Amino acid sequence: MGAPTNTMAILALVFAFVFAPAAIVMGHVAKKQIRQTGEGGDGLATAGLWLGYIFTSLYVLLCAFYVVAVIFAIGSSNGSTY
């Protein structure tokens, strides 16, 4: 029987789909714990990290797009009474 899987690695993968920034933190913590204890789950922690970074960057890009769209909409509105 192999080494037990690190719980934080499992949580990192799960939280990548729930709250991606938490997955990044948990993934880094899990990788450190795995190095220290020799537990399994390095692949899960790595997947959680990658997905956390990808989903977080997509969220940031979506927010930036929204801000630019609102600024563009406000700037192009016909608010003057000429």
Side-chain angles (χ1 to χ4, degrees), residues 11-12 14-24 26 52 55-56 59:
L11 290 174
V14 170
F15 270 84
F17 297 100
V18 177
F19 185 64
I24 296 169
M26 290 179 190
F55 290 147
T56 300
Y59 178 70

Side-chain angles (χ1 to χ4, degrees), residues 2-79:
T5 304
N6 184 282
T7 305
M8 195 69 73
I10 297 169
L11 290 174
L13 186 58
V14 170
F15 270 84
F17 297 100
V18 177
F19 185 64
I24 296 169
V25 174
M26 290 179 190
H28 283 291
V29 170
K31 288 183 86 58
K32 181 179 179 185
Q33 288 177 352
I34 290 168
R35 278 194 309 272
Q36 292 174 346
T37 63
E39 291 177 305
D42 188 56
L44 293 173
T46 302
L49 275 171
W50 275 96
L51 290 172
Y53 281 123
I54 289 169
F55 290 147
T56 300
S57 62
L58 288 174
Y59 178 70
V60 168
L61 287 173
L62 181 67
C63 288
F65 175 76
Y66 178 73
V67 168
V68 169
V70 168
I71 291 172
F72 180 74
I74 292 171
S76 66
S77 67
N78 193 1

